[in-house]
Amino acid sequence: MTRGPAPSEPYRGDLFGEIHLADMTDAAPTPGIARYFPGLAICAAAAGAAGWLSDHYGVPVILLGLLIGLALNFVARDARTHRGLDFASHTFLRIGIVLLGFQVSIAQIVALGALPFAALILIMAVAFAAGLAGARLSRQSPYAGLLAGGATAICGASAALALYGIVGKERLSQAQFALTLVGVSMASALAMSLYPAIAAELELSDAQAGYLIGASIHDVGQAIGGAYAVSDAAGIDATIVKLARVTLLAPVVLLVSLVIGPARAGPSRPSWRRLGMPWFITLFLAVVAVNSLIDLPAVAATKALAASKALLLLAVTATAMRSRTDLLLELGWRAAAPVMAASLASFAAALFFVMIGVGD
């Protein structure tokens, strides 16, 4: 009696079966940390190239990382790079921001002064108003303008997520919300490239450039990265200005909740979750508090700054690699109008205050 193939070897002696097993082997998930290696390796190589070009030609390293990442965004077509690139763009960014806390103290934030802080509130109000106006002119829901204005005024996608928790999907579709997030991310990335160049063209001082960039760029990491592309001094000033905007997230969300009320349907989120700031911002503020209370050695601040800039470079490069520039063509001008209006108005208002002496 002839025995058939064992159940564990159903394809033995079968050419098609051997090919099938090979495909199954190739498709098996890579175990452990090796899953992150392809994306991280490519990101590190691109960031290293940006660093080399910056050292030899004097071009801002963050800007080079962004441009090289955009030029290499085709690598994200390979799914094996996704885990590493996403890890770099999210985790490295947040750790880099936390480390920046060693450069800031409460005394510096107080030194911002009442007038620059009042100007920040006016700039944020202008961004909100422009987002609403852009939505009205493009015949979109006012809630789309509210999200665009809030994301531009405060801290990008984090603010949009917090505000959408108040608006709710009953008032604004998830598709429109997704388009707003894409528009905010692309506008912030573009601003990170353009605003440092504009500041240099206008011959702004480090303090002026830091205030302009910190007061007008949407995302925390990109605002700080764009300012460090000007100089370390501008980066520190922009960090203080940007974090002052972020601290206003909770009161703004609370005010919006009081004005528009809860959504008619669907479960409501607890108030403490609506008002909570992103964890890395909370840690940043904790590090600032420690740095304000304890006199740390100067070498610690220097090392922390170097590590932070390296992580921000990796994060910006990875973010650019994961960007889909073709989405701009698919959005259409109407979907992008509220974000564009809020972004331009925010920049114009910030530039106006810089020109009249606020932030010097």
Side-chain angles (χ1 to χ4, degrees), residues 272-353:
W272 66 270
R273 293 198 65 186
R274 293 179 186 175
L275 302 181
M277 289 189 296
W279 65 265
F280 62 96
I281 298 300
T282 303
L283 283 180
F284 175 92
L285 295 176
V287 171
V288 170
V290 171
N291 193 40
S292 302
L293 296 173
I294 301 174
D295 189 13
L296 298 175
V299 65
T302 302
K303 296 293 185 182
L305 177 60
S308 177
K309 292 178 69 173
L311 290 171
L312 288 175
L313 173 60
L314 289 167
V316 166
T317 305
T319 300
M321 287 183 177
R322 285 290 271 151
S323 298
R324 288 187 54 194
T325 52
D326 60 303
L327 285 178
L328 284 177
L329 300 177
E330 299 176 9
L331 288 177
W333 74 270
R334 291 186 183 277
V339 173
M340 291 173 57
S343 301
L344 292 174
S346 176
F347 176 76
L351 183 59
F352 168 78
F353 284 113

Side-chain angles (χ1 to χ4, degrees), residues 217-232:
I217 293 184
H218 320 45
D219 182 77
V220 175
Q222 290 173 336
I224 295 172
Y228 270 103
V230 177
S231 69
D232 288 352

Side-chain angles (χ1 to χ4, degrees), residues 112-122 211 353 356-359:
L112 181 63
L115 182 60
F117 190 79
L120 277 183
I121 295 177
L122 291 176
Y211 189 90
F353 284 113
I356 64 174
V358 175

Side-chain angles (χ1 to χ4, degrees), residues 125-150 260 337-339 341-342:
V126 167
F128 266 102
L132 292 170
R136 184 171 184 177
L137 290 175
S138 58
R139 299 177 183 177
Q140 294 189 73
S141 166
Y143 297 111
L146 179 66
L147 287 181
I260 70 175
V339 173

Side-chain angles (χ1 to χ4, degrees), residues 59-63 96 99-104 192 196 209-210 213 220-240 284 301 304-306 308-309 312:
V59 181
V61 67
I62 296 292
L63 179 59
L99 290 177
L100 282 176
F102 289 104
Q103 312 302 314
V104 184
M192 181 183 172
I213 294 172
V220 175
Q222 290 173 336
I224 295 172
Y228 270 103
V230 177
S231 69
D232 288 352
I236 294 173
D237 288 340
T239 300
I240 297 170
F284 175 92
L305 177 60
S308 177
K309 292 178 69 173
L312 288 175

Side-chain angles (χ1 to χ4, degrees), residues 21-331:
L21 287 175
D23 290 341
M24 290 176 63
T25 302
D26 291 341
T30 307
I33 197 172
R35 293 175 296 178
Y36 298 89
F37 179 76
L40 289 176
I42 294 173
C43 178
W52 187 89
L53 290 171
S54 177
D55 288 341
H56 285 74
Y57 297 100
V59 181
V61 67
I62 296 292
L63 179 59
L64 282 172
L66 177 66
L67 296 177
I68 293 174
L70 288 173
L72 296 177
N73 67 354
F74 61 87
V75 302
R77 297 175 187 171
D78 191 331
R80 292 175 295 180
T81 66
H82 291 179
R83 285 183 180 271
L85 292 178
D86 290 344
F87 183 84
S89 63
H90 292 89
T91 305
F92 285 174
L93 171 65
R94 284 150 177 77
I95 296 174
I97 292 172
V98 171
L99 290 177
L100 282 176
F102 289 104
Q103 312 302 314
V104 184
S105 66
I106 295 176
Q108 290 174 315
I109 296 176
V110 172
L112 181 63
L115 182 60
F117 190 79
L120 277 183
I121 295 177
L122 291 176
I123 293 168
M124 293 170 64
V126 167
F128 266 102
L132 292 170
R136 184 171 184 177
L137 290 175
S138 58
R139 299 177 183 177
Q140 294 189 73
S141 166
Y143 297 111
L146 179 66
L147 287 181
T152 303
I154 308 173
C155 54
S158 297
L161 288 165
L163 290 171
Y164 191 62
I166 303 299
V167 172
K169 62 182 179 181
E170 297 80 16
R171 294 179 172 132
L172 188 70
S173 69
Q174 291 180 328
Q176 182 61 61
F177 174 59
L179 292 178
T180 300
L181 285 181
V182 171
V184 167
S185 299
M186 296 301 294
S188 189
L190 184 62
M192 181 183 172
S193 300
L194 293 179
Y195 291 5
I198 294 175
E201 186 68 22
L202 295 175
E203 298 182 351
L204 300 181
S205 66
D206 289 339
Q208 290 175 322
Y211 189 90
L212 174 66
I213 294 172
S216 56
I217 293 184
H218 320 45
D219 182 77
V220 175
Q222 290 173 336
I224 295 172
Y228 270 103
V230 177
S231 69
D232 288 352
I236 294 173
D237 288 340
T239 300
I240 297 170
V241 174
K242 183 62 185 179
L243 265 295
R245 289 167 64 190
V246 174
T247 57
L248 295 173
L249 175 61
V252 167
V253 171
L254 178 59
L255 180 61
V256 170
S257 178
L258 294 174
V259 171
I260 70 175
R264 291 190 178 90
S268 60
R269 298 177 65 193
S271 299
W272 66 270
R273 293 198 65 186
R274 293 179 186 175
L275 302 181
M277 289 189 296
W279 65 265
F280 62 96
I281 298 300
T282 303
L283 283 180
F284 175 92
L285 295 176
V287 171
V288 170
V290 171
N291 193 40
S292 302
L293 296 173
I294 301 174
D295 189 13
L296 298 175
V299 65
T302 302
K303 296 293 185 182
L305 177 60
S308 177
K309 292 178 69 173
L311 290 171
L312 288 175
L313 173 60
L314 289 167
V316 166
T317 305
T319 300
M321 287 183 177
R322 285 290 271 151
S323 298
R324 288 187 54 194
T325 52
D326 60 303
L327 285 178
L328 284 177
L329 300 177
E330 299 176 9
L331 288 177

